[in-house]
Amino acid sequence: MAPNDSAQTTEGRNTFAAGRRRAARYIVPVAVAGVAAATIGLVPALADSGDPELPKITAQQLIEKIAASDTQQLSGTVKINNDLGIPSLGGLAGSLAPKGETDGAGSSADPQAKLMELASGTHTLRVAADGPDKQRVSILDDTAEYSLIHNAGEVWAYDSASNEAFHTKAPADSQDLGKHEKAPEAVPATPKGLAEEALKAADDTTSVTVDGTAQVAGRDAYQLLIKPKQSGSTIGSIRVAVDAQNGVPLKFTLTPSSGGKAVIDAGFTKVDFAKPSADTFTFSPPKGAKVTEGDDELKSQEKDFEKEFKGDADLKDFGGLNVIGKGWTSVAEISSPGGEAGDGAGSKAPEKGDVPPEAQQFLDALGDKVSGKFGSGTVFKTRLVNALMTDDGKVYVGAVTPDALVQAANAAK
C-alpha cells in the first residue's frame, strides 16, 4: 500500500494549485433552496478485491495525474445510490412549484425533469464516450430504460416507459452532455465530474493526502483523501479512487461529518477504455413515439416569460447573493423579493396551504424551527446541504451544520 502523503506543503504549492484548476471543470450535484438536492452515488457493496501494491505517489502527483488524463474513450456501468436523508424526489419537482404554476405539458423524456430522479435512491447507469462529440448515458430500470445521447451536435433523449423522445441541438461550445442546456451540469453521470469539483475546494482549508490503494471494477487505483480542516462542515471526508494507469477517477465517496454510511458513493462496476461501437451513439425514435422538439419548447417558454416579465420592476426587489465565510464552511445568503429582510415587506417562508400537499409533506419532513439574533426561521435539513429560511424572507444555504447556519445569520444582522 502507498503510504499517506500530504499535499499541504509549501514546496510545489503553485503546481498543485494549477493542477487543481485544470482538474476542476464540473459542478457538484447539490441544490437546496426550497428544498431539493441532486447528487450521484454508488452502492457500498462494490467491494474491492484487495489493496494492490503500487509505486509510491504524492497527493500533488496524483492530482496532476487526474488533470493530465487524456482518456476520451470508455464504456461501462456505474452503480449509484444517494442517502441524503430526504424523501424520494421522483416526480416531486413539479409539486414543489406553487399552485397553478406547473404546466404539465413537458415531455417525460426531457432530461431536465428526468435527471432529478438521480437525486435519491439507487440506480444503475450505462455510460459510453468517444471524444467530446459523442456520449451516451442510460438509466436502467427493471422494465424500462431512459437514454440521453449526444452525437455530433444532436441531442436525443428517449424514455421507453412512455415511448416519448426529446430532441434538440447541443450548444456550439458543448463538450459533454453535462453542459447541455436541457441536461444540467448539476447531475454528472460518472465519478470524474464529482472528483474534479471536489478538487476545486482543495485550498488552505483542506487536507489532501494519498490514503493507500484499492481495486475498482478490476482496475488498480490510488485513493485520494480530501478532508476539511474547518469544523462546522457537514462533509467529513471525500475519497476518490484514481486509475493508476490512466488517471481516470473510478470511484467517489463522500462521508458526512455526522458519521454513518456515505451520502454519495459513486463508481464503476465495469469499465472498458476501448473505443465504443459507433452504433452506441446512433438513435432514431421508434415507430409511434411522441417526439418533443426542445427548441420549440424553449421558444414557447421565452414567449411566456416575455408576456409576464414587467422589466426592471420585477428585478428591483432582489437583493442578490452574498457569501459568508470561506472554504468548506462558506454560507450563501440570498435576499428575497420585498427589500431588506426585517422591513416587513420581504417574502415569508411557505405556510400551510401555499404549496401542494405532497410538497408540504416534503418540507415538513425536513424543517426545524430555530431562532437567534437574526430572529426566527426554519432549517431544512439533508445529510449534506442545509438551508435556513428566516421568517422575514432571507435564505442561508451551505454544506454546513444547522448551528453554523444560525451563526452565519446572526453575523449577517
Side-chain angles (χ1 to χ4, degrees), residues 322-381:
N322 176 45
V323 177
I324 302 169
K326 63 174 290 189
W328 299 82
T329 57
S330 59
V331 172
E333 175 191 25
I334 306 169
S335 297
S336 63
E340 293 294 328
D343 65 5
S347 295
K348 293 185 177 181
E351 297 180 356
K352 298 288 185 181
D354 287 347
V355 294
E358 314 90 78
Q360 187 63 56
Q361 182 180 10
F362 177 82
L363 295 175
D364 288 345
L366 300 176
D368 285 334
K369 295 295 291 184
V370 295
S371 61
K373 293 179 181 178
F374 69 89
S376 59
T378 304
V379 171
F380 298 104
K381 299 180 297 183

Side-chain angles (χ1 to χ4, degrees), residues 17-34:
R20 185 183 70 242
R21 286 193 295 271
R22 290 197 301 273
R25 293 182 299 157
Y26 296 85
I27 293 179
V28 160
V30 181
V32 172

Side-chain angles (χ1 to χ4, degrees), residues 44-296:
L46 301 177
D48 10 282
S49 56
D51 299 333
E53 293 288 341
L54 296 173
K56 294 180 181 179
I57 189 171
T58 68
Q60 179 178 312
Q61 290 170 332
L62 188 53
I63 289 173
E64 289 292 332
K65 191 176 187 70
I66 297 172
S69 177
D70 60 355
T71 300
Q72 298 191 41
Q73 297 174 334
L74 64 82
S75 59
T77 302
V78 177
K79 281 285 190 178
I80 68 172
N81 177 50
N82 291 298
D83 186 16
L84 284 164
I86 61 175
S88 171
L89 296 179
L92 184 61
S95 68
L96 284 173
K99 290 179 179 178
E101 294 188 13
T102 55
D103 77 31
S107 168
S108 67
D110 185 338
Q112 193 142 352
K114 187 67 178 179
L115 295 182
M116 275 293 290
E117 295 182 10
L118 297 181
S120 60
T122 300
H123 306 272
T124 300
L125 273 61
R126 188 166 56 232
V127 301
D130 184 7
D133 296 326
K134 295 181 180 180
Q135 300 92 28
R136 180 174 185 134
V137 178
S138 297
I139 304 172
L140 310 180
D141 292 328
D142 292 338
T143 58
E145 179 176 323
Y146 174 84
S147 295
L148 184 59
I149 305 105
H150 173 213
N151 190 345
E154 299 287 328
V155 175
W156 280 97
Y158 178 66
D159 182 11
S160 68
S162 61
N163 196 27
E164 292 191 29
F166 183 94
H167 173 252
T168 191
K169 298 283 187 180
D173 63 349
S174 175
Q175 293 297 308
D176 55 70
L177 286 174
K179 292 185 179 179
H180 182 252
E181 61 185 350
K182 300 304 288 185
E185 322 179 40
V187 190
T190 72
K192 182 175 176 64
L194 292 165
E196 290 179 332
E197 179 60 21
L199 291 173
K200 189 183 294 184
D203 56 15
D204 58 359
T205 68
T206 310
S207 166
V208 184
T209 59
V210 176
D211 189 32
T213 65
Q215 193 168 83
V216 179
R219 305 280 300 186
D220 289 349
Y222 293 102
Q223 298 199 80
L224 190 69
L225 183 63
I226 305 169
K227 298 179 70 173
K229 292 181 178 179
Q230 302 162 295
S231 61
S233 173
T234 56
I235 297 172
S237 67
I238 294 172
R239 186 179 296 272
V240 183
V242 182
D243 192 291
Q245 181 177 345
N246 57 32
V248 173
L250 299 174
K251 185 175 180 181
F252 176 100
T253 305
L254 187 154
T255 303
S257 58
S258 59
K261 63 181 179 179
V263 175
I264 306 171
D265 194 9
F268 287 95
T269 57
K270 296 179 182 178
V271 65
D272 186 346
F273 294 103
K275 180 182 177 70
S277 172
D279 61 10
T280 301
F281 310 103
T282 60
F283 177 81
S284 296
K287 184 177 180 179
K290 175 186 175 183
V291 178
T292 298
E293 290 293 335
D295 292 340
D296 293 342

